[in-house]
Amino acid sequence: MRTILPPAILAPSNVSVFLAGTIDMGHSIDWQQKFIDQANKEKTLDDVIVFNPRRKSWDHTWTQSIENKQFSEQVNWELDAMENADVILLFLEANSKSPISMMELGLFADSGKLMVCCEEGFWRKGNIDIVCKRKGIDQYVTFDELSAAVIAKLKKFVNIK
């Protein structure tokens, strides 16, 4: 797998996945790397692109404003990557708020790309569960179940393309 981090230019690919979900300004566990490590064990996924929004050069002091070049670049990179991805993995940690991730769920609920794990204890789990059920979005109980399901789906995409 090849990982693309912001602000790198998004390259077209045959198969791609966007890693959406809890980051909490860089204070959450690095579940994105855990997924990448699991997926890298699958040699059939060598050509898959992973769009990982966890920017190495993120600065929490950036003003979250459209006028802030770095912030605007980050948000637009994420939106472009989600639009271009074949699969959007969305992971919501139990002890997080993740308001941007909830917005992303709403933006892409009708895309057919989302696969979701919302851990028990997440402050708005009921809302997430209802949206997923209403929109027919595949939902998983644990991060490991979600990872395995996304990897299986990526394998199918690789075999089709």
Side-chain angles (χ1 to χ4, degrees), residues 13-33:
S13 70
N14 289 337
V15 178
S16 61
V17 58
F18 182 88
L19 305 181
T22 303
I23 293 181
D24 285 344
M25 303 296 279
H27 297 294
S28 71
I29 61 166
D30 192 353
W31 59 266
Q32 295 90 345
Q33 190 59 53

Side-chain angles (χ1 to χ4, degrees), residues 38-67:
Q38 290 172 345
N40 273 331
K41 294 175 184 172
E42 304 292 333
K43 294 301 175 200
T44 58
L45 300 181
D46 285 346
D47 293 332
V48 171
I49 299 291
V50 178
F51 298 120
N52 183 355
R54 195 181 277 261
R55 185 180 186 133
K56 289 183 180 181
S57 61
W58 179 257
D59 182 344
H60 71 280
T61 65
W62 288 342
T63 303
Q64 294 193 13
S65 164
I66 195 169
E67 284 84 27

